[in-house]
Amino acid sequence: MLRRIWALVVKEFLALLKDKRSRLTLVVPPLVQLLIFSYAATFDLNQVNYAVYNQDQGQASRELLGYFQGSSAFKLAATLDHLGQVAPDINDQKVMMVLHIPQDFTRNMLQGRSGQVQVIIDGRNSNTAMVLLSYVNTIVNSFSAQWAQDHGWPSPPAELKVRTWFNPNLESRWFIVPGIVGLLTLVVSLVVTSLSVAREREAGTFDQLLVTPLHPAEILLGKALPGIFIGLAEGSVIVFLSVNLFGVPLLGGLGALYLGMALFIISAVGLGLMISSIAVTQQQALLGAFLFLVPAVILSGFATPIANMPEVVQKFTLINPLRYFLVIVRSVFLEGADISLLWPLYWPMAVIGTVTMIIAGWLFRNRLY
């Protein structure tokens, strides 16, 4: 039996590697997506265009503007002369923010009174506006603290000190890149297995496979193993690039990571075989994989927190293996979690993988007879 299964596994690998399109599909898209997501998909803001309407021209206003000019997050795009210029610049998206300093700003600061600064932000993209506002608050608070120290003012009775765990510099890449490990591993494993049986049917070799001594369970296992091997190989490459190219720290052990990856890939392969057992052509198989991938990514917590979703939708995420693996991979990378802490996430993927394999086997047998 092992020789028969191994022969089918070798046949699957040869079919994938001899086809130029299959080779490109396995290598090029995952690398391109890794680079695009890692460099383009970021929550950080850099070189945000802003304008200044400064009515003060005093020492305090010059020092405050120096803080903004020294920050890599901001880029001075315009200096305004009157309020009438504010609306056109924001409406035309020439700038995303206008910093308005009133004429009594320095006088109030020197006399120990509150110097108010008005910030006008383009709120059409609410998420970016909130991030931008937090940057402005950080700069203004730093300026206020330094000004109080330079002029001998007593410190406020309550002082807030922020300490960030797991991601000290709040780099969004540390959050996004580990998630890409799960996303691309799912894409590759699902596509490879969903096309396996459909490719046989489309090429007319499926009937030849049925007259071999292989049992249906052996055929199913022979179709599943290449997807598992390829998924592990792709996942390993992405983990290597995440650490060595993008500088994301891998604080946990590889054992905890690869145990979760193996269970996750088995779940993905089971789903791919279910799709492949139903599809007649490769086009139908790709469509079925796409129909699963889109909601799976949305309901995984890759970009938006699951806790923010409606309760009914949160229940649907419980049958999504990507949900569990994203928590595992981020915990291993950033928190240094080990196997003992991740057991509550391992067993749901094991259950999903077992159920999908059983359903795929049932569908496969029913399509044979």
Side-chain angles (χ1 to χ4, degrees), residues 76-215:
L76 181 62
T79 300
L80 308 184
D81 299 321
H82 54 84
L83 282 175
Q85 295 174 299
V86 173
D89 282 1
I90 291 183
N91 292 341
D92 298 338
Q93 296 184 340
K94 295 179 180 178
V95 298
M96 191 170 180
M97 178 189 80
V98 175
L99 193 66
H100 176 207
I101 303 177
Q103 59 185 4
D104 57 351
F105 179 73
T106 297
R107 183 173 66 251
N108 290 334
M109 294 291 291
L110 290 173
Q111 294 177 356
R113 296 196 300 266
S114 174
Q116 295 183 354
V117 178
Q118 184 180 18
V119 180
I120 306 168
I121 296 178
D122 185 353
R124 281 172 282 197
N125 188 329
S126 59
N127 291 332
T128 303
M130 291 177 64
V131 175
L132 181 60
L133 183 59
S134 68
Y135 282 19
V136 174
N137 282 330
T138 301
I139 291 178
V140 173
N141 289 337
S142 298
F143 161 75
S144 299
Q146 187 64 44
W147 181 272
Q149 180 180 345
D150 294 343
H151 291 78
W153 292 356
S155 59
E159 183 178 359
L160 179 64
K161 293 186 177 180
V162 178
R163 181 182 178 186
T164 306
W165 286 12
F166 308 127
N167 190 352
N169 296 324
L170 293 178
E171 296 187 24
S172 60
R173 183 176 297 173
W174 286 21
F175 174 80
I176 292 175
V177 173
I180 296 174
V181 176
L183 177 61
L184 296 186
T185 302
L186 174 63
V187 171
V188 171
S189 303
L190 191 65
V191 170
V192 168
T193 51
S194 64
L195 293 178
S196 59
V197 178
R199 183 173 57 247
E200 299 275 4
R201 288 199 180 100
E202 203 171 66
T205 59
F206 188 67
D207 292 336
Q208 299 175 10
L209 191 63
L210 296 180
V211 300
T212 63
L214 288 165
H215 188 271

Side-chain angles (χ1 to χ4, degrees), residues 190-191 194-195 198 202 271-272 274-276 278-295:
L190 191 65
V191 170
S194 64
L195 293 178
E202 203 171 66
L271 291 165
M274 289 172 54
I275 296 171
S276 188
I278 298 172
V280 177
T281 64
Q282 294 187 71
Q283 185 177 7
Q284 292 178 359
L286 284 174
L287 180 60
F290 177 78
L291 290 176
F292 172 78
L293 280 171
V294 174

Side-chain angles (χ1 to χ4, degrees), residues 213-262:
L214 288 165
H215 188 271
E218 296 173 355
I219 296 176
L220 191 69
L221 186 58
K223 294 288 186 181
L225 288 176
I228 295 175
F229 294 151
I230 292 173
L232 287 172
E234 292 277 357
S236 300
V237 171
I238 298 170
V239 169
F240 176 81
L241 293 176
S242 300
V243 175
N244 294 280
L245 180 60
F246 301 109
V248 182
L250 180 58
L251 303 180
L254 291 177
L257 178 61
Y258 274 92
L259 176 58
M261 188 182 297

